[in-house]
Amino acid sequence: KIEWSRAQREAVKTDARGDMPRSKPSFNGPPLTNITDFFFRLAPTKWWDDTLKYTNPKLHGGDAVNAKLTLGELLQFWGYAIAVSVHKGLPLEDMWREKAGDDDIMPPPAMGRHGMTANRFKKIRSVLSFGPAGDADFAADKMCTVRRLETAFNEHRATIFRPGWLMNLDEGMSLWKGKKAKEGFNDEDAIDHLCCEPRKPVPVGKEFKTLHDAQSNIMLHFEPVEGKVPDSKKKFISECHTKMAPLVMR
């Protein structure tokens, strides 16, 4: 038996897990041979279906910039989005620049050479949608615009991945610079519950509770913090006396 107090955590020196089995994480299905296989194994196919379903009505199709989105172009958009997110030091507009500036050491990315113009990328980003946004939808669920995305992610990860023996329960913040939803108004462009955690590197945004496989660093499950009242109605809350236990059980 290991005894410790909240004030003396450093006193815990013994690994209480003993000789418990220490399984390794693995994917279900055929072996992954390249980064493309890895991407498609991790991404839920429902994401693509829902994105096309709820985004295309916002594109009138009158010209190249407003053309209806296809699955191929949607995947191309996400490829661009990942490239932009990991390329630091340049504003979005300069990612399509073809000529180096006077102060540039490296040549610009010239993203347009891969097939998508800057205007098309910005248009898709401005109308990208993942779920319904009608008054009835908001009345039933304030998180209706992203709930399908959350559900598809969690269901898919539970199906395609078997975690190892060591998992990590954590929380994270996603930066938000947009509008905050006003009480009594439905706005698909606003965030419903904005969190502020001064100790975080990103202090203001959307907070998530997450579960990761500690050996592979793959996220297994996430759920957004929705506020005191909605969170109090989640599964297992009434059966436990702490906040973390219901999260582990879910």
Side-chain angles (χ1 to χ4, degrees):
K1 181 180 179 181
I2 298 175
E3 296 182 358
W4 64 285
S5 70
R6 189 177 297 273
Q8 295 179 324
R9 298 191 191 106
E10 69 279 1
V12 179
K13 302 292 184 181
T14 304
D15 188 341
R17 293 167 294 198
D19 297 326
M20 66 177 290
R22 302 196 176 189
S23 58
K24 295 182 179 180
S26 62
F27 280 96
N28 296 322
L32 301 171
T33 59
N34 53 53
I35 190 64
T36 303
D37 287 348
F38 186 75
F39 176 83
F40 282 107
R41 187 72 60 84
L42 287 177
T45 55
K46 288 183 179 179
W47 277 7
W48 318 134
D49 298 336
D50 284 341
T51 303
L52 293 174
K53 177 180 179 179
Y54 294 105
T55 299
N56 271 330
K58 300 178 181 179
L59 296 166
H60 60 64
D63 52 41
V65 173
N66 292 279
K68 297 294 184 180
L69 197 59
T70 64
L71 176 58
E73 194 178 25
L74 176 61
L75 294 174
Q76 183 186 38
F77 168 84
W78 280 116
Y80 269 66
I82 293 172
V84 169
S85 68
V86 299
H87 193 291
K88 299 180 180 179
L90 285 178
L92 181 62
E93 292 74 16
D94 287 348
M95 295 295 291
W96 272 260
R97 187 158 46 86
E98 297 181 354
K99 295 182 179 180
D102 295 336
D103 298 327
D104 290 341
I105 299 176
M106 301 293 290
M111 298 283 283
R113 61 196 167 99
H114 298 296
M116 184 177 289
T117 66
N119 286 338
R120 177 61 170 168
F121 179 85
K122 292 176 183 177
K123 182 63 181 181
I124 295 174
R125 189 179 67 163
S126 71
V127 299
L128 203 63
S129 303
F130 311 103
D135 290 341
D137 301 306
F138 275 106
D141 182 4
K142 290 296 183 182
M143 296 284 293
C144 60
T145 56
V146 292
R147 185 70 73 194
R148 295 173 68 89
L149 184 153
E150 173 200 348
T151 302
F153 179 94
N154 293 333
E155 291 178 348
H156 184 69
R157 289 296 167 92
T159 302
I160 58 98
F161 188 76
R162 287 180 291 178
W165 69 280
L166 186 60
M167 290 185 284
N168 176 49
L169 191 65
D170 202 356
E171 58 186 26
M173 292 283 286
S174 179
L175 176 65
W176 180 261
K177 292 185 177 180
K179 298 183 294 183
K180 184 180 184 302
K182 296 181 180 179
E183 186 68 29
F185 291 89
N186 298 330
D187 187 349
E188 63 177 308
D189 295 323
I191 193 169
D192 179 57
H193 182 72
L194 194 63
C195 299
C196 181
E197 296 286 353
R199 71 182 186 280
K200 296 285 187 181
V202 178
V204 178
K206 189 64 179 178
E207 184 177 357
F208 298 91
K209 303 299 183 183
T210 61
L211 179 67
H212 298 78
D213 175 78
Q215 292 173 279
S216 65
N217 294 328
I218 290 178
M219 186 188 295
L220 307 172
H221 187 97
F222 83 94
E223 58 182 56
V225 175
E226 302 177 46
K228 185 176 182 180
V229 174
D231 287 345
S232 68
K233 298 177 181 179
K234 291 183 177 179
K235 195 174 182 180
F236 301 123
I237 290 290
S238 61
E239 303 171 28
C240 304
H241 300 290
T242 67
K243 294 182 180 180
M244 299 305 291
L247 187 60
V248 173
M249 295 169 71
R250 289 198 295 274

